[in-house]
Coordinates of all heavy atoms in Angstrom, one line a residue:
E5 N 14.3 -22.3 -32.6 CA 12.8 -22.5 -32.5 C 12.1 -21.2 -33.0 O 11.1 -21.3 -33.6 CB 12.5 -22.7 -31.0 CG 11.8 -24.0 -30.7 CD 10.5 -24.2 -31.4 OE1 9.5 -23.4 -31.2 OE2 10.4 -25.2 -32.2
E6 N 12.8 -20.1 -32.6 CA 12.1 -18.8 -33.0 C 12.1 -18.6 -34.5 O 13.1 -19.0 -35.1 CB 12.9 -17.7 -32.3 CG 12.6 -17.6 -30.9 CD 13.1 -16.3 -30.2 OE1 13.6 -15.4 -31.0 OE2 13.0 -16.2 -29.0
E7 N 11.1 -18.0 -34.9 CA 11.0 -17.8 -36.4 C 11.1 -16.3 -36.6 O 10.4 -15.5 -35.9 CB 9.7 -18.4 -36.8 CG 9.2 -18.0 -38.1 CD 7.6 -18.3 -38.1 OE1 7.2 -19.3 -37.6 OE2 6.9 -17.4 -38.6
E8 N 12.0 -15.8 -37.4 CA 12.2 -14.4 -37.6 C 11.0 -13.8 -38.3 O 10.5 -14.2 -39.4 CB 13.4 -14.2 -38.5 CG 14.7 -13.9 -37.8 CD 14.6 -12.8 -36.8 OE1 14.1 -11.7 -37.1 OE2 14.9 -13.0 -35.6
R9 N 10.4 -12.8 -37.7 CA 9.3 -12.0 -38.4 C 9.8 -10.6 -38.4 O 10.6 -10.2 -37.6 CB 8.1 -12.0 -37.5 CG 7.3 -13.2 -37.5 CD 5.9 -13.0 -38.1 NE 5.3 -14.3 -38.5 CZ 4.8 -14.5 -39.7 NH1 4.7 -13.6 -40.6 NH2 4.3 -15.7 -40.0
G10 N 9.4 -9.8 -39.4 CA 9.7 -8.4 -39.4 C 8.8 -7.7 -38.4 O 8.5 -8.3 -37.3
M11 N 8.4 -6.5 -38.7 CA 7.6 -5.7 -37.8 C 6.2 -6.3 -37.6 O 5.6 -6.7 -38.6 CB 7.5 -4.4 -38.5 CG 7.0 -3.2 -37.7 SD 7.1 -1.8 -38.9 CE 7.0 -0.5 -37.7
V12 N 5.8 -6.4 -36.3 CA 4.4 -6.9 -36.1 C 3.7 -5.7 -35.4 O 4.0 -5.3 -34.3 CB 4.4 -8.2 -35.2 CG1 2.9 -8.6 -35.0 CG2 5.2 -9.3 -35.9
I13 N 2.6 -5.3 -36.1 CA 1.8 -4.2 -35.5 C 0.4 -4.7 -35.3 O -0.2 -5.4 -36.2 CB 1.8 -3.0 -36.5 CG1 3.2 -2.5 -36.7 CG2 0.9 -1.9 -35.9 CD1 3.2 -1.3 -37.7
I14 N -0.2 -4.3 -34.2 CA -1.6 -4.6 -33.9 C -2.3 -3.3 -33.8 O -1.9 -2.4 -33.1 CB -1.7 -5.3 -32.5 CG1 -0.9 -6.6 -32.6 CG2 -3.1 -5.5 -32.1 CD1 -0.6 -7.2 -31.2
I15 N -3.4 -3.2 -34.6 CA -4.1 -1.9 -34.6 C -5.4 -2.2 -33.8 O -6.2 -3.1 -34.1 CB -4.3 -1.3 -36.0 CG1 -4.8 0.1 -35.9 CG2 -5.1 -2.1 -36.9 CD1 -4.2 1.0 -36.8
L16 N -5.6 -1.4 -32.7 CA -6.7 -1.5 -31.8 C -7.5 -0.3 -31.8 O -7.1 0.8 -32.1 CB -6.2 -1.8 -30.4 CG -5.3 -3.0 -30.2 CD1 -4.7 -2.9 -28.8 CD2 -6.2 -4.3 -30.3
G17 N -8.8 -0.5 -31.4 CA -9.7 0.7 -31.3 C -11.1 0.2 -31.4 O -11.3 -0.9 -31.9
A18 N -12.0 1.0 -31.0 CA -13.4 0.7 -31.1 C -13.8 0.5 -32.6 O -13.1 0.9 -33.5 CB -14.3 1.8 -30.6
P19 N -14.9 -0.2 -32.8 CA -15.4 -0.3 -34.2 C -15.6 1.1 -34.7 O -16.1 1.9 -34.0 CB -16.7 -1.1 -34.1 CG -17.1 -1.1 -32.7 CD -15.8 -0.9 -31.9
G20 N -15.1 1.4 -35.9 CA -15.3 2.7 -36.5 C -14.3 3.7 -36.1 O -14.3 4.9 -36.4
A21 N -13.3 3.3 -35.3 CA -12.2 4.2 -34.9 C -11.3 4.5 -36.0 O -10.4 5.4 -35.9 CB -11.4 3.6 -33.7
G22 N -11.4 3.8 -37.2 CA -10.5 4.1 -38.3 C -9.4 3.1 -38.5 O -8.4 3.3 -39.2
K23 N -9.6 1.9 -37.9 CA -8.5 0.8 -37.9 C -8.2 0.4 -39.4 O -7.1 0.4 -39.8 CB -8.9 -0.4 -37.2 CG -9.1 -0.2 -35.7 CD -9.3 -1.5 -34.9 CE -10.6 -2.2 -35.3 NZ -11.8 -1.6 -34.9
G24 N -9.3 0.2 -40.2 CA -9.1 -0.3 -41.5 C -8.4 0.8 -42.4 O -7.4 0.5 -43.1
T25 N -8.8 2.0 -42.2 CA -8.2 3.1 -43.0 C -6.7 3.3 -42.7 O -5.9 3.4 -43.5 CB -8.9 4.4 -42.7 OG1 -10.3 4.2 -42.9 CG2 -8.5 5.6 -43.5
Q26 N -6.4 3.3 -41.4 CA -5.0 3.4 -41.0 C -4.2 2.1 -41.3 O -3.0 2.2 -41.7 CB -4.9 3.7 -39.5 CG -5.5 5.0 -39.0 CD -4.9 6.2 -39.8 OE1 -3.7 6.3 -40.0 NE2 -5.7 7.1 -40.2
A27 N -4.8 1.0 -41.3 CA -4.2 -0.3 -41.6 C -3.7 -0.2 -43.1 O -2.6 -0.6 -43.4 CB -5.1 -1.4 -41.4
E28 N -4.6 0.2 -43.9 CA -4.2 0.3 -45.4 C -2.9 1.1 -45.6 O -2.0 0.8 -46.3 CB -5.3 1.1 -46.1 CG -6.2 0.2 -46.9 CD -7.3 1.0 -47.6 OE1 -7.0 2.1 -48.1 OE2 -8.5 0.6 -47.5
R29 N -2.9 2.3 -44.8 CA -1.7 3.1 -45.0 C -0.4 2.5 -44.4 O 0.7 2.6 -44.9 CB -2.0 4.5 -44.3 CG -2.9 5.3 -45.1 CD -3.4 6.5 -44.2 NE -4.0 7.6 -45.0 CZ -5.2 7.6 -45.5 NH1 -6.0 6.5 -45.3 NH2 -5.7 8.6 -46.1
L30 N -0.6 1.8 -43.2 CA 0.5 1.2 -42.6 C 1.1 0.1 -43.4 O 2.4 -0.1 -43.5 CB 0.1 0.6 -41.2 CG -0.1 1.7 -40.1 CD1 -0.8 1.1 -38.9 CD2 1.3 2.1 -39.6
V31 N 0.2 -0.7 -44.0 CA 0.7 -1.8 -44.8 C 1.6 -1.3 -46.0 O 2.6 -1.9 -46.3 CB -0.6 -2.5 -45.3 CG1 -0.3 -3.4 -46.5 CG2 -1.2 -3.3 -44.2
K32 N 1.1 -0.2 -46.6 CA 1.9 0.4 -47.7 C 3.2 1.0 -47.2 O 4.3 0.7 -47.8 CB 1.1 1.5 -48.4 CG 0.1 1.1 -49.4 CD -0.2 2.2 -50.4 CE -1.5 1.9 -51.1 NZ -2.6 2.8 -50.8
E33 N 3.1 1.7 -46.1 CA 4.3 2.4 -45.6 C 5.4 1.4 -45.2 O 6.6 1.6 -45.5 CB 3.9 3.3 -44.4 CG 5.0 4.0 -43.8 CD 5.3 5.4 -44.5 OE1 4.5 5.8 -45.3 OE2 6.4 6.0 -44.2
Y34 N 5.0 0.3 -44.5 CA 6.1 -0.6 -44.0 C 6.2 -1.9 -44.7 O 6.9 -2.8 -44.2 CB 5.8 -0.8 -42.5 CG 5.9 0.5 -41.6 CD1 4.7 1.1 -41.1 CD2 7.1 1.2 -41.4 CE1 4.8 2.2 -40.4 CE2 7.1 2.3 -40.7 CZ 6.0 2.9 -40.2 OH 6.0 4.0 -39.4
G35 N 5.4 -2.1 -45.8 CA 5.5 -3.3 -46.5 C 5.0 -4.5 -45.7 O 5.7 -5.5 -45.7
L36 N 3.9 -4.4 -45.0 CA 3.4 -5.5 -44.2 C 2.3 -6.3 -44.8 O 1.6 -5.8 -45.7 CB 2.8 -4.9 -42.9 CG 3.7 -3.9 -42.1 CD1 2.9 -3.3 -41.0 CD2 5.0 -4.6 -41.6

Side-chain angles (χ1 to χ4, degrees):
E5 237 304 296
E6 284 190 8
E7 164 201 318
E8 267 306 308
R9 282 244 163 229
M11 192 176 201
V12 180
I13 300 179
I14 295 163
I15 189 141
L16 299 168
K23 298 188 295 291
T25 307
Q26 295 303 319
E28 259 179 41
R29 287 167 162 78
L30 283 165
V31 162
K32 274 202 201 116
E33 179 86 12
Y34 298 109
L36 308 172

